[in-house]
Amino acid sequence: MVPIDLGKTSVREGNEQIRQHGQNGEDVEIINPDARHHIGVGLVHPITVKVHGSAGYFCAGLSDSARFEVESNVGWGVGDNMYSGSVIVGGNAGAIPGVAIRGAEIVIHGNMGSRAGQVMKAGTLCCAGNANFMAGYMMYGGRIIILGDSGEKVGEDMSAGEIFVGGKVEDLGSDAELTDIDSAEIEEIMEFLDRYEIPFKGSFQKVVNAGKKLRYATSEQQMRSIPFFTFSGTSDYWNPKIQEDLYIKSQIGRYRIRGYGGARPLPHLSDLAFKKDLSAAGNENNIVSKVKMSTEIGGINGANPLKLSMPVMIAPMSYGALSASTKRAIGLASTMSDIAENTGEGGMSDAQRGAAKQLIFQMLGGRLGWNIHDMNRADGLEIYISQGAKPGLGGQLMAKKVTPELAKIRGIPAGIDLRSPSRHPDILGADDLVIKVEELREATGYRLPVSIKLGAGRVRDDIKIAVKDGFDFVELDGMQGSTGAGSAEVIDYVGIPTLSAIIEALDALEEIGRRQDIQIVLMGGIRDGVDAVKALCLGADAVALGTSTIIAGGCIACMQCHVGQCVTGIATQDPEHEKRYEPEVEAKNIHRFLESVRWQIAAITNGLGYNDVSQLSRDDLVALTPEAAAITGLPYEPQYGDADLDIHVRSVV
Amino acid sequence: MCGIAGIMLKDSSEPFNTGEALVNMLNGCQHRGPDSTGFALYGQAQENKLKLRLFVGQGKEADTAINRIKKFLQEQGATIVDDEHVGEAYRVTVNFSGDIQKFSYALEHAAKVVSIGNSLEIIKDVGSAEDVDGRYNIHNYRGSHGLGHVRLATESDVKPEAAHPFWATGFADVAIVHNGQITNYWKMRRRLEQRGYEFRTDNDSELIAVYLADKLSQGIALKEALKTSIDDLDGTFSFLVSTKDEIGYAKDRLAVKPMVMYETDDLVAVASEEVSLNKLFPGQALNTKEPPPGTYNTWSRST
Ligand SMILES: Cc1cc2nc3c(=O)[nH]c(=O)nc-3n(C[C@H](O)[C@H](O)[C@H](O)COP(=O)(O)O)c2cc1C
């Protein structure tokens, strides 16, 4: 055993050493751990790590195949997201032990804290003492064995998996029920207990999901639909949107779930104009080569930045909402245009990784598809807090799209109406978030930028927290942002506009004098290079495009993304439908669109008299409406109206 | 959004290095709150002597404030025993035996009061535990018990007044440190205001302090007051409260905010994370406990 003394070595240095010894196949013992956080995170080799004392948060987190033994206690989230391998804890465990595990065995000899096994997918969490509040909360699979008492609300909102309780079942959580145990299950439990030398003589009760909340009572039907652009025309009090909403509600008897963004007119970038006459912009040849557009995002704290050939990236869109072929096409296009792609929710497939040269890997509350191996092959890590279309809510993926293949990557039962958790198990405040950010950095050796996706709500407060918690950049998403599935009321009425979001963010950063400590990627209804330049003028470092890229890649905007029968093969998991989509062809279409964005950015920047996008400033803009002027503080000069219309239309490749 | 800490020796006939212990504990969880740091320290109580701590700022501004305070004290018949201006704060000990609530509400009009008590002194400012210790010499403080807090500002500004601990405005010697968010703040505040209490900030921690102090003033035991607080307060919270002779904790039913306790025959120490407790006992595996959701407890010192 190689000793590492954390009284003398920092955790960061210690973790580097542990990983090195892992590669060499040498076992390690940790001396003077003193309850420090993140011990052993990111270890992917089958060695034994002995901790002489107590460990803090996320001990053995984001690891695979190692065997940890902690003599005394552990803090929150022991074994976080662990694939295979094991952790044995001699004392007590804090809250969320075994959170999001995907096959590991976690054994706690003492008691364990609240929400044990939250969003776990597979593996065993065993506690020889008592569990606490909401053990098995939102678990998707695997087994929890509690030899003592269950604590209140055991199995709250579990989707699958089993909880065996040797002591008293204090009270059952929502959608949980007691069921019979067969002798084979008992044998397996006894075999497990023997293996870890835990004596037990009593009997067990078994808690499982009761199946009342896994599906909506009525599913979304496919309707004869009108495209988003007709639907969102709101000039009349009664209009096609209202009509369609009513039809649908008359069928399903509840709120409507749909794709696409809000349909209400809101102040937006189109309410701003450039102060200069741009009618001659772009007339020169080779305009693209005359303007410096390359932009680095994510490197301000020393991580390897994303290197974008222009200040544009692809917005996170999930494999799940979108088909594998669509993710592939977008990935290929991002490579051709040399910008970055983002996995969105639901994990990273080989195809996606192969297609995109630069790929951000997104982590959401359900930890669906999140794992150390894909983290290690990502180019950036992103913590999703919320998105502009539905701030405060989790993703929705209707049963039709939760195919066995998709369910496997996510680690969940197939065929449920998946309502992803809106909260992270271990991010309940800014103070926990900082420990989580650090865990991601520790696990990947501080190589990767770590970003936060924020739906615009209380941007002023949220962005300050993002800076203080050390994020490299924020993906700030306004109310105009789209979604693959959200409830219509939320899409239309919750959040604040993209324009307000960027202004609030900049004001807040100025207030605390820390603008230089975080980069901002703005998104939410950015349609083209004209919108992009306006966002840059206002102060964004880059923009991200979602909807416009899928439309460029063949989307017909029918808003039925959630149904899973997408006729274009984009928003579906049905192979028959997906067959219609030709990723190689669509990749070129998306690429051509992205190049038109590049041309517009170059033409306008040049037209404004600059040769570098970093020279763009808010002095280049005016507001066309009193609302936009009030939000941005720009001069209200409606006479500039439509001056930039021309350049929306003209773009060459 | 923050880290909290508290410590008490059960037998406090001899003062101990309360200040140093709290600085070390807060050092351990500094990551939870980089913006500001504060301490509630309890020393020897002296009959009819009140320790006042006030924010006066620095330079000219401070001179004006101190003169105003002195004038006020004279009007109230409170004679100054000793005083000192350190950092942003003015510390003054006075002879006073009247109604403390009236006295303190009136004093608030002359100055920003941080704490009033026979034994309590609250010291808080922007910066890390180390920064604040450097400015106010916390580590030299010897007393019977105390609380500490590091803060990450989420909604209000980063300024000394918004730092914790909070004093229960108007009630001598009651202080609180709190991690979390009280969601029925305005409802509870209006109830307390109807009972004649005044609030100096919009901070939910001040509310918890006044809520508890109100119960104490009705002769309700601290433990009982903590019990009702779990029913009366909505939201997520883990907090520590201290009085002249007791410290106590309460934790919400959802168990959202962390808290770890270490108790022996001699002492009790509580903190957001075990790593803070280990700062007191480096190299030792401690037999700690995480209090279950919806629980509370108190410890009192014997003298
Ligand atoms: C089909 C689809 C799937 C999405 N999936 C995710 C996701 O998994 N994670 C996420 O942060 N945002 C997701 N979003 C939101 C986008 O990242 C982004 O916020 C929004 O699309 C930006 O606005 P725009 O579409 O107007 O460009 C999704 C959007 C769409 C249209």
Side-chain angles (χ1 to χ4, degrees):
Chain A
M1 287 235 152
V2 189
I4 296 175
D5 184 351
L6 290 184
K8 299 191 184 112
T9 311
S10 69
V11 171
R12 180 170 174 178
E13 176 63 35
N15 276 334
E16 291 292 343
Q17 290 180 13
I18 295 175
R19 282 193 286 264
Q20 194 56 52
H21 293 303
Q23 266 173 28
N24 303 341
E26 295 157 342
D27 294 342
V28 172
E29 60 186 336
I30 307 291
I31 300 161
N32 293 315
D34 285 357
R36 288 183 179 84
H37 302 328
H38 308 130
I39 294 174
V41 298
L43 179 61
V44 290
H45 292 96
I47 57 167
T48 296
V49 178
K50 281 207 161 114
V51 179
H52 296 294
S54 293
Y57 282 33
F58 301 125
C59 177
L62 297 167
S63 70
D64 187 6
S65 76
R67 179 185 154 84
F68 288 81
E69 291 169 25
V70 183
E71 272 173 13
S72 195
N73 305 322
V74 291
W76 280 32
V78 61
D80 168 35
N81 215 285
M82 200 169 172
Y83 260 57
S84 62
S86 62
V87 187
I88 300 170
V89 178
N92 299 325
I96 47 167
V99 54
I101 53 170
R102 294 210 50 174
E105 297 185 338
I106 315 270
V107 175
I108 295 150
H109 283 277
N111 300 321
M112 63 182 181
S114 312
R115 295 178 283 118
Q118 185 168 350
V119 302
M120 68 183 274
K121 319 281 183 327
T124 300
L125 168 64
C126 173
C127 170
N130 298 322
N132 216 309
F133 192 57
M134 294 211 292
Y137 182 37
M138 290 188 142
M139 70 190 281
Y140 293 108
R143 169 174 72 165
I144 299 180
I145 305 168
I146 304 162
L147 300 187
D149 298 340
S150 72
E152 280 175 64
K153 292 191 186 299
V154 60
E156 174 89 359
D157 278 333
M158 64 194 290
S159 300
E162 293 123 22
I163 305 173
F164 298 94
V165 183
K168 197 166 78 207
V169 173
E170 281 171 41
D171 110 68
L172 289 170
S174 145
D175 208 23
E177 67 180 11
L178 287 169
T179 186
D180 297 338
I181 312 185
D182 63 49
S183 55
E185 283 173 320
I186 299 283
E187 256 167 51
E188 280 172 35
I189 293 174
M190 296 320 286
E191 181 274 324
F192 182 93
L193 295 177
D194 275 355
R195 194 146 46 81
Y196 286 97
E197 294 170 7
I198 302 169
F200 183 72
K201 288 246 150 44
S203 59
F204 286 100
Q205 288 174 281
K206 179 179 173 188
V207 181
V208 293
N209 169 258
K212 298 197 187 80
K213 285 169 74 178
L214 290 182
R215 295 262 213 140
Y216 283 104
T218 43
S219 59
E220 305 284 320
Q221 304 296 315
Q222 180 138 35
M223 302 272 169
R224 188 175 56 81
S225 58
I226 46 174
F228 183 68
F229 307 103
T230 312
F231 161 93
S232 55
T234 52
S235 53
D236 303 306
Y237 189 68
W238 294 100
N239 60 42
K241 169 185 175 9
I242 306 294
Q243 184 188 14
E244 186 174 53
D245 276 351
L246 290 176
Y247 278 147
I248 289 177
K249 284 175 184 160
S250 77
Q251 295 305 302
I252 59 179
R254 57 168 165 83
Y255 59 87
R256 168 186 188 189
I257 291 171
R258 65 169 175 84
Y260 264 73
R264 291 193 305 144
L266 293 167
H268 197 35
L269 294 163
S270 41
D271 297 326
L272 308 179
F274 298 105
K275 219 180 204 162
K276 211 165 166 181
D277 176 10
L278 292 173
S279 52
N283 284 351
E284 282 177 59
N285 287 334
N286 286 334
I287 198 83
V288 166
S289 64
K290 293 187 175 128
V291 177
K292 180 176 176 287
M293 284 185 279
S294 58
T295 301
E296 292 194 351
I297 296 287
I300 56 171
N301 296 309
N304 300 333
L306 299 162
K307 295 196 166 128
L308 310 175
S309 68
M310 59 177 158
V312 172
M313 34 197 237
I314 307 286
M317 291 183 281
S318 64
Y319 161 53
L322 301 180
S323 65
S325 317
T326 309
K327 283 305 277 180
R328 178 168 153 74
I330 295 172
L332 290 172
S334 74
T335 303
M336 289 185 242
S337 290
D338 202 7
I339 60 173
E341 149 72 332
N342 188 317
T343 61
E345 182 165 33
M348 182 192 291
S349 65
D350 289 345
Q352 248 184 95
R353 178 60 279 191
K357 186 172 136 210
Q358 302 184 77
L359 184 60
I360 299 171
F361 186 25
Q362 202 179 47
M363 178 185 91
L364 289 88
R367 309 288 153 81
L368 306 170
W370 185 248
N371 69 84
I372 182 64
H373 301 293
D374 290 331
M375 287 169 72
N376 276 330
R377 61 179 186 158
D379 302 292
L381 305 174
E382 182 160 292
I383 298 183
Y384 170 103
I385 298 294
S386 61
Q387 71 188 86
K390 44 180 180 185
L393 298 178
Q396 307 228 28
L397 199 63
M398 297 299 121
K400 173 84 184 145
K401 288 171 119 174
V402 186
T403 59
E405 191 203 345
L406 186 119
K408 186 159 166 264
I409 293 197
R410 294 190 176 210
I412 59 171
I416 61 172
D417 277 333
L418 174 66
R419 278 156 289 184
S420 304
S422 57
R423 276 172 182 271
H424 290 262
D426 39 18
I427 304 173
L428 300 163
D431 39 15
D432 305 326
L433 179 53
V434 71
I435 305 177
K436 195 73 200 168
V437 174
E438 201 66 13
E439 185 199 12
L440 304 191
R441 292 202 197 276
E442 279 290 342
T444 51
Y446 291 76
R447 277 181 298 121
L448 303 177
V450 181
S451 53
I452 180 170
K453 169 94 185 252
L454 267 185
R458 299 172 58 156
V459 179
R460 193 175 289 277
D461 297 332
D462 292 348
I463 193 111
K464 289 183 188 169
I465 294 173
V467 179
K468 290 176 190 172
D469 283 350
F471 285 99
D472 298 310
F473 66 97
V474 52
E475 297 221 51
L476 183 60
D477 189 16
M479 194 175 175
Q480 283 92 341
S482 286
T483 170
S487 82
E489 281 74 4
V490 175
I491 296 176
D492 271 336
Y493 295 102
V494 179
I496 64 168
T498 305
L499 205 53
S500 317
I502 179 74
I503 299 297
E504 276 202 21
L506 294 168
D507 281 355
L509 292 173
E510 189 176 331
E511 210 176 285
I512 56 172
R514 298 194 60 181
R515 175 64 188 95
Q516 72 291 351
D517 293 338
I518 194 162
Q519 289 178 298
I520 302 176
V521 179
L522 188 66
M523 65 179 90
I526 295 181
R527 298 161 300 174
D528 56 17
V530 181
D531 287 349
V533 176
K534 289 174 184 171
L536 297 173
C537 286
L538 285 174
D541 295 287
V543 299
L545 306 176
T547 303
S548 54
T549 56
I550 26 182
I551 294 180
C555 169
I556 56 167
C558 72
M559 292 183 291
Q560 313 238 6
C561 322
H562 56 284
V563 178
Q565 309 270 41
C566 179
V567 295
T568 59
I570 294 175
T572 183
Q573 299 302 326
D574 183 336
E576 283 306 307
H577 289 262
E578 196 173 339
K579 263 200 318 226
R580 298 177 194 151
Y581 195 79
E582 295 181 75
E584 316 292 329
V585 175
E586 298 301 350
K588 288 199 184 110
N589 292 337
I590 299 169
H591 167 58
R592 272 192 294 272
F593 160 69
L594 289 170
E595 292 311 302
S596 80
V597 171
R598 186 192 311 279
W599 180 86
Q600 285 177 318
I601 295 174
I604 298 171
T605 306
N606 178 272
L608 290 169
Y610 308 124
N611 57 17
D612 185 333
V613 286
S614 68
Q615 293 164 309
L616 295 165
S617 91
R618 50 181 276 132
D619 296 339
D620 297 316
L621 296 176
V622 293
L624 300 176
T625 65
E627 290 85 356
I631 291 172
T632 57
L634 290 169
Y636 171 49
E637 307 208 22
Q639 72 275 17
Y640 284 90
D642 288 351
D644 58 319
L645 202 66
D646 188 36
I647 202 139
H648 268 291
V649 181
R650 262 186 314 142
S651 55
V652 293
V653 176
Chain B
M1 299 301 136
C2 39
I4 60 179
I7 188 163
M8 174 184 260
L9 286 200
K10 289 181 179 170
D11 173 2
S12 60
S13 42
E14 287 293 319
F16 77 107
N17 53 348
T18 348
E20 188 187 353
L22 287 168
V23 170
N24 285 335
M25 287 170 85
L26 293 183
N27 245 326
C29 64
Q30 190 75 62
H31 51 270
R32 300 188 72 90
D35 291 330
S36 57
T37 306
F39 302 85
L41 302 164
Y42 290 81
Q44 194 66 39
Q46 291 167 285
E47 270 309 290
N48 295 335
K49 283 208 172 62
L50 271 190
K51 298 172 184 177
L52 316 180
R53 294 200 71 112
L54 308 106
F55 280 126
V56 291
Q58 296 184 1
K60 254 218 167 74
E61 180 199 7
D63 296 342
T64 324
I66 290 170
N67 283 335
R68 204 167 48 232
I69 293 164
K70 284 186 172 160
K71 185 156 161 273
F72 170 87
L73 293 173
Q74 201 174 15
E75 285 163 10
Q76 297 280 325
T79 51
I80 296 179
V81 182
D82 60 59
D83 70 337
E84 184 188 16
H85 176 207
V86 204
E88 302 277 325
Y90 179 55
R91 185 188 63 75
V92 50
T93 310
V94 296
N95 284 313
F96 183 81
S97 53
D99 179 332
I100 289 179
Q101 191 171 333
K102 273 204 197 114
F103 172 80
S104 68
Y105 286 176
L107 176 56
E108 293 275 358
H109 295 288
K112 284 188 207 156
V113 183
V114 182
S115 66
I116 295 183
N118 296 113
S119 62
L120 166 70
E121 291 186 68
I122 291 180
I123 301 162
K124 55 188 186 180
D125 206 341
V126 298
S128 66
E130 216 166 276
D131 295 342
V132 175
D133 180 30
R135 241 169 282 151
Y136 298 90
N137 248 318
I138 309 291
H139 66 273
N140 282 338
Y141 190 94
R142 297 179 71 78
S144 53
H145 58 293
L147 307 180
H149 188 277
V150 289
R151 173 167 187 262
L152 188 154
T154 49
E155 286 162 42
S156 49
D157 293 343
V158 180
K159 48 185 186 190
E161 300 93 291
H164 293 222
F166 275 92
W167 169 54
T169 308
F171 298 91
D173 294 313
V174 180
I176 194 148
V177 289
H178 161 222
N179 180 16
Q181 204 170 27
I182 305 301
T183 43
N184 62 344
Y185 171 79
W186 288 105
K187 189 169 137 198
M188 293 299 295
R189 173 163 165 174
R190 271 193 296 274
R191 265 193 219 167
L192 287 162
E193 279 173 340
Q194 276 164 10
R195 298 173 48 76
Y197 299 127
E198 296 182 15
F199 287 81
R200 293 304 165 214
T201 69
D202 291 344
N203 193 294
D204 51 4
S205 311
E206 184 190 19
L207 176 107
I208 306 175
V210 173
Y211 169 91
L212 294 172
D214 170 48
K215 299 269 182 209
L216 295 177
S217 73
Q218 297 170 40
I220 296 169
L222 182 61
K223 200 165 186 169
E224 186 58 29
L226 289 170
K227 182 175 175 198
T228 57
S229 77
I230 295 173
D231 290 326
D232 287 343
L233 302 174
D234 259 352
T236 60
F237 51 85
S238 282
F239 65 78
L240 292 170
V241 57
S242 52
T243 67
K244 212 187 289 188
D245 303 308
E246 283 182 288
I247 65 174
Y249 83 88
K251 195 167 158 168
D252 72 66
R253 289 226 164 75
L254 300 174
V256 164
K257 294 291 167 188
M259 184 183 268
V260 187
M261 298 186 308
Y262 177 60
E263 189 176 359
T264 65
D265 291 344
D266 305 325
L267 105 170
V268 56
V270 190
S272 294
E273 298 174 11
E274 186 155 332
V275 66
S276 286
L277 302 174
N278 255 130
K279 284 277 176 182
L280 301 175
F281 304 97
Q284 281 184 45
L286 303 176
N287 188 6
T288 60
K289 269 216 310 254
E290 192 182 66
T295 58
Y296 55 93
N297 202 2
T298 57
W299 294 269
S300 40
R301 68 197 182 95
S302 57
T303 43

